[in-house]
Amino acid sequence: QVQLVESGGGLVQAGGSLRLSCAASGFTFSRYAMAWFRQAPGKEHEFVASISWSGVTTSYGDSVKGRFTISRDNAKNTVVLQMNSLKPEDTAVYYCASYWNYRDPITKRDMDYWGKGTLVTVSS
């Protein structure tokens, strides 16, 4: 059974940092690209970041470039999103997702598996 379980969300003040983690199981994690999407209330899913199976190639949404960093540990089946200089507009539910064959750009329709999400709230 495929599982992607996000953790690390919470409430933080603007300018602060959070570290989101996603623990994967039930599939060959090291062979899948991974991504983070987010969804703010009343809005569509927005691409945040992606990383190739090897971790060598990454991509970021324009709104988070220079502030967020995606990384992965294939030995631990985890992917991490380090979020710095957070802004109120970063408030959303953040989802971890996996997909076969790294490519860029991607949309939510390209994902094979999804986590249930973790809420990030940034106060002004």
Side-chain angles (χ1 to χ4, degrees):
Q1 180 183 0
V2 172
Q3 282 195 314
L4 293 172
V5 180
E6 302 94 337
S7 62
L11 175 64
V12 63
Q13 288 189 331
S17 298
L18 278 177
R19 182 181 173 91
L20 304 184
S21 293
C22 174
S25 62
F27 65 103
T28 308
F29 177 79
S30 61
R31 299 181 67 180
Y32 277 74
M34 299 297 296
W36 289 91
F37 284 79
R38 67 186 183 186
Q39 187 174 29
K43 296 189 176 181
E44 294 291 325
H45 281 80
E46 178 188 7
F47 168 72
V48 176
S50 63
I51 187 166
S52 62
W53 65 269
S54 66
V56 170
T57 306
T58 59
S59 181
Y60 296 91
D62 288 341
S63 60
V64 307
K65 279 181 183 175
R67 300 187 298 123
F68 291 10
T69 303
I70 188 171
S71 61
R72 66 188 295 161
D73 185 337
N74 286 344
K76 297 182 178 179
N77 284 10
T78 59
V79 60
V80 170
L81 185 69
Q82 178 66 43
M83 306 186 296
N84 298 328
S85 302
L86 283 161
K87 305 175 182 179
E89 50 264 44
D90 293 319
T91 295
V93 176
Y94 283 71
Y95 297 91
C96 172
S98 63
Y99 62 110
W100 188 252
N101 283 341
Y102 177 84
R103 53 196 177 277
D104 179 52
I106 54 173
T107 71
K108 65 178 183 179
R109 296 173 186 81
D110 294 310
M111 301 301 105
D112 296 312
Y113 306 120
W114 287 90
K116 294 184 178 181
T118 185
L119 177 63
V120 171
T121 304
V122 184
S123 63
S124 56

